[in-house]
């Protein structure tokens, strides 16, 4: 959800580095959780992974290492947010360990996702069932899942995506946002792969050309 709506992190701050203490975080005891396993270069930093782990541990009220919709709803209520049955759109019926929770939180939209899939995400954010997603909706869901986007950043995103100027996202705004973002991301990934392939071809040509020149030099020396 975080990756789909709040977007990937980019820039120098998004490196998989952090102070030594950041690598040993765990609410249950130091040394049991390694954020480097989950760090995504250019998208998620060690600090952001640790923030996500803290959010998971906060939701995991019984300390079982698994969370379900009931516990997530309890965490939302503790933050003063009423989510009701829409919370099932985030977790589904099964219990999740942190690995699965992380996968859900960082999942990206793909061409296989249907309109119903996207509307299920919309309903999660529209937890007060108004038919639109407001600034408060976005900010409160960010608090529940541990996203660290500032109020200013969330408002800027809302302003960018709001097509009619009412400071809310309707289903069309939301659908267009996710589909456009997916297309841009897929184009970037395709372009990056092509650049890598072109660079590899150039490197092979250089090595091949250098080898031929060296061989010719040895033959002339004889």
């Amino acid at each position: 959800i975080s990756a789909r709506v709040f977007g990937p992190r980019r820039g120098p701050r998004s490196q998989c580095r952090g102070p030594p203490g950041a690598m040993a975080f765990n609410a249950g005891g130091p040394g049991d959780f390694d954020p480097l396993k989950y760090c995504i270069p250019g998208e998620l930093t060690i600090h952001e992974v640790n923030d996500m782990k803290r959010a998971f541990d906060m939701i995991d009220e019984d300390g079982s290492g698994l969370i379900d919709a009931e516990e997530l709803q309890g965490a939302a209520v503790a933050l003063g947010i009423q989510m009701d049955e829409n919370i099932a759109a985030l977790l589904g019926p099964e219990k999740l360990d942190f690995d699965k929770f992380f996968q859900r939180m960082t999942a990206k939209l793909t061409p296989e996702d249907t309109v119903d899939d996207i509307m299920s995400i919309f309903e999660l954010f529209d937890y007060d069932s108004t038919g639109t997603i407001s600034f408060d909706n976005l900010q409160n869901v960010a608090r529940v899942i541990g996203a660290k986007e500032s109020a200013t950043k969330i408002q800027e995103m809302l302003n960018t995506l709001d097509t009619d100027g009412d400071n809310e996202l309707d289903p069309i705004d939301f659908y267009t946002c996710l589909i456009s973002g997916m297309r841009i991301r897929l184009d970037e990934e395709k372009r990056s792969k092509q650049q890598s392939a072109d660079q590899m071809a150039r490197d092979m040509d250089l090595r091949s050309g250098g080898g031929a020149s060296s061989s010719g030099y040895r033959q002339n020396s004889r």
Side-chain angles (χ1 to χ4, degrees):
I1 303 299
S2 180
R4 289 181 178 192
V5 178
F6 291 106
R9 285 76 169 170
R10 300 185 183 279
R13 64 185 287 273
S14 296
Q15 300 301 314
C16 289
R17 296 195 301 266
M23 297 180 62
F25 166 77
N26 185 14
D32 295 331
F33 177 70
D34 181 8
L36 283 176
K37 175 182 175 181
Y38 304 94
C39 184
I40 304 174
E43 294 189 17
L44 285 176
T45 68
I46 285 177
H47 292 297
E48 289 163 339
V49 172
N50 277 335
D51 286 339
M52 197 176 298
K53 182 62 165 61
R54 289 188 181 95
F56 178 89
D57 290 340
M58 179 190 72
I59 297 168
D60 182 21
E61 294 179 344
D62 59 6
S64 65
L66 300 170
I67 62 173
D68 56 23
E70 183 177 349
E71 285 182 311
L72 186 52
Q73 184 176 3
V77 171
L79 292 170
I81 305 167
Q82 296 295 332
M83 285 190 156
D84 300 326
E85 70 277 0
N86 283 349
I87 207 70
L90 179 61
L91 291 185
E94 77 271 28
K95 290 180 177 288
L96 303 182
D97 60 15
F98 181 74
D99 284 354
K100 291 181 179 178
F101 177 77
F102 179 83
Q103 291 170 6
R104 295 282 182 90
M105 293 299 100
T106 57
K108 297 176 181 177
L109 198 68
T110 70
E112 286 70 40
D113 285 303
T114 66
V115 174
D116 287 342
D117 293 330
I118 295 174
M119 287 301 100
S120 293
I121 301 171
F122 178 88
E123 290 171 2
L124 169 67
F125 283 87
D126 179 27
Y127 56 80
D128 48 5
S129 301
T130 62
T132 60
I133 299 173
S134 66
F135 171 82
D136 287 340
N137 291 150
L138 289 173
Q139 189 174 46
N140 285 334
V141 172
R143 289 168 60 201
V144 172
I145 66 175
K148 294 301 181 181
E149 276 72 12
S150 67
T152 300
K153 183 68 175 178
I154 292 174
Q155 184 62 59
E156 288 176 353
M157 180 183 69
L158 185 57
N159 292 341
T160 300
L161 301 176
D162 176 22
T163 58
D164 55 10
D166 63 355
N167 205 37
E168 295 182 339
L169 300 181
D170 60 30
I172 295 177
D173 290 332
F174 190 80
Y175 181 84
T176 302
C177 156
L178 266 64
I179 293 298
S180 297
M182 178 192 68
R183 288 172 178 168
I184 292 171
R185 175 175 56 81
L186 292 177
D187 286 345
E188 289 178 349
E189 291 175 354
K190 182 179 180 181
R191 184 162 48 250
S192 178
K193 289 180 180 178
Q194 185 61 52
Q195 290 174 346
S196 297
D198 292 344
Q199 183 61 50
M200 183 180 296
R202 287 193 293 269
D203 292 344
M204 293 179 65
D205 286 343
L206 286 173
R207 285 195 294 269
S208 176
S213 297
S214 176
S215 175
Y217 173 78
R218 286 195 298 269
Q219 290 177 358
N220 291 334
S221 298
R222 293 175 184 174

